[in-house]
Structures are given as structure tokens and as C-alpha cells.
Amino acid sequence: MRINLSIATTLALGTLVACGGGSTDAATTDPTTGVVLTSTAATGDTAPDGPSFIDPAAVGFELDAVHMADGTLAGYTGFDSNGNPVEVPPTMFLTFASAAFFDASDQATQDAESCIAYGSFDVAPMTSNQIPTNGTALLWGSYEGALSIEFTTCQGVVDPALWGENAVDLLTPFEGAHIGYGFGPLTTYLEDQWGADSLTEYDGKLFANYIAINDANGDWIGQDWTSAILFEWDAETGELVADDDSYLIPIDISATPPGARLPEGYLRSFAYWYQDFPLMDFSNLTDGAP
């Protein structure tokens, strides 16, 4: 699997819908990358209310940004379908998925059973400590901030009788939510996300992303829910770097010691675990936000 430059820049248009599997661990394929993924995400018992709406049951988190050598996050220059440059800021994507999303074995159904929201993630790296995590690894970088939502595809997709007009009852709890994000070595749990061929091809290039958001008990602990790859970028032009076949060039991060900074590069992340709504309390998501 290799990621094409033109595919990567679809993020600038807000068209990326992340891929995940279901409780059956059936293999699925990311539509933008061709990566074969599986997921062990648990789901609720909810089902779509009808042919026109989905009933979201879980949410996944992904980051799209350039990671600078000093740990700060920066944007990059992408191009729209007409070849016009588009400036893409550091962006946090939330993918809201229904229970049917996780049971689906085809991409078309997964696309129809999910919607996204995203906003800029313009935060400074934590310098004195790291977000608390569910493991013992020293992270390569951590960030703490409040989520912002600037765009969504959920309006008209989720049932207004359940989620309010324009999905307000779905999105409002996440506006200003206390979010932590950290990078660390790939975990055994996240290895299961990738097919054997991708693990071999990206050996030394995959790493874990830890996401912290308040759970139903009010605990704020980073969980290894998402994995990522760094790719080369051109600091002078702000553009992503591709080879002669227009594929992005991954960066080997295997020599990065514990607690050090990741190298500079374009960071593309892939959600694996989607947090179930019953494990969240929509009334406390903003608690503790800076």
C-alpha cells in the first residue's frame, strides 16, 4: 500500500471519511489509501432510524497536520480538484459512525453510515509533562486543548428528532471539549489494525496516537485509539513531497528514542477504536479544558 499525493490532499476539501471495522473484526479498506484495516471497536445496540438518517453510536479521532521539529503543529499546502492551492491548517477530524457502520463489509455502506466534523487544532506542545495514558511509554509529544468544530457533514444525515436541527445535539457537546493528543511507539493493540503486508511495508514507520477525552466517569486518560505515519514535506513550499509516481514518501521513526521529538513531517492518522457513546457523558466533555 502507498498513499498517493492527490489522495492525501482530499483532506483540504473535507471529504475524508475514515474507515473502521466492527465487532466481527472483518477486514475493510480505507477508501483514500487502500490500507487494509480491521477494528475491534465495540458498538451499541442502536440502528439507523430509517433510510434517510443514521443514528451515530461512536466517534473516532484523527489528526492531519505537519509535525515540526520543535513539536509544534503546522499546516501544509494542498490542491483542490482544479489544481488550485488550498492551505490546510492542523485539523482534528471526528468521525461519527452508526452501529451499522461497524457491521458493514463494504465501503459504500460505511460511507453511508457515518458523517464527520472537523476544526483546526492549533495548540502548542506540552513541554513539562505528557498527557496521562493507559500505558507506560514515554511519549514523543503531547498536546492539550479544546476542540473546535468548523465544518460538518452531519447536518441532514442524522435524525433531527433525535439529534436536533442541524445535528446540534450531536455536535454541541464536542465544541470546546477537553482533548489530549500524544504520539508514542506503536502498541501491540494497534498492530491489529494493519494487515500483514502493510505492517511489513511500514515497519519502523507506524506509531501510536493517544487520545484523551473525558469518559463517563470523568476520567481523562490517553488511549491508543489511533495510529499514524509521518511523510516527507517541503518546508520551503509547504507542499507534501511525492516520488516520481506521485506517492507520498514515509519517514522511518524507529530510531526516535523514548521521550524525544518525532522528526519533522506530514502526519496522517487513522482511527482504529471508535469510542462508544454509552462510555461517554455528553455533559462533561468540556470539563478541564484550557
Side-chain angles (χ1 to χ4, degrees), residues 70-249:
D70 63 0
T72 57
L73 299 177
Y76 61 92
T77 302
F79 297 89
D80 64 19
S81 59
N82 295 318
N84 299 313
V86 179
E87 297 305 312
V88 186
T91 303
M92 183 71 69
F93 283 83
L94 281 65
T95 299
F96 296 99
S98 73
F101 173 98
F102 299 98
D103 293 330
S105 58
D106 64 283
Q107 191 59 53
T109 302
Q110 289 189 325
D111 290 346
E113 291 295 334
S114 61
C115 63
I116 64 171
Y118 66 76
S120 59
F121 193 61
D122 186 14
V123 295
M126 299 172 67
T127 57
S128 60
N129 57 358
Q130 67 180 39
I131 61 171
T133 70
N134 61 342
T136 59
L138 288 176
L139 300 186
W140 294 324
S142 290
Y143 308 86
E144 181 179 9
L147 283 175
S148 65
I149 296 177
E150 300 163 10
F151 178 86
T152 184
T153 66
C154 296
Q155 296 174 352
V157 175
V158 300
D159 189 346
L162 295 176
W163 297 105
E165 291 296 326
N166 298 319
V168 63
D169 294 335
L170 174 65
L171 302 178
T172 298
F174 290 90
E175 180 63 39
H178 187 198
I179 184 75
Y181 211 95
F183 313 129
L186 191 69
T187 62
T188 301
Y189 171 68
L190 287 171
E191 287 181 353
D192 292 338
Q193 179 181 15
W194 299 86
D197 290 344
S198 292
L199 279 174
T200 299
E201 181 175 358
Y202 285 96
D203 183 36
K205 303 173 181 70
L206 292 163
F207 57 98
N209 285 195
Y210 291 82
I211 295 94
I213 192 164
N214 293 329
D215 64 16
N217 297 319
D219 295 325
W220 193 78
I221 299 173
Q223 309 283 346
D224 53 339
W225 289 344
T226 299
S227 59
I229 304 172
L230 275 180
F231 297 93
E232 294 185 12
W233 85 301
D234 189 323
E236 292 187 5
T237 65
E239 298 175 14
L240 309 185
V241 176
D243 62 20
D244 292 339
D245 296 319
S246 296
Y247 289 104
L248 297 184
I249 303 170

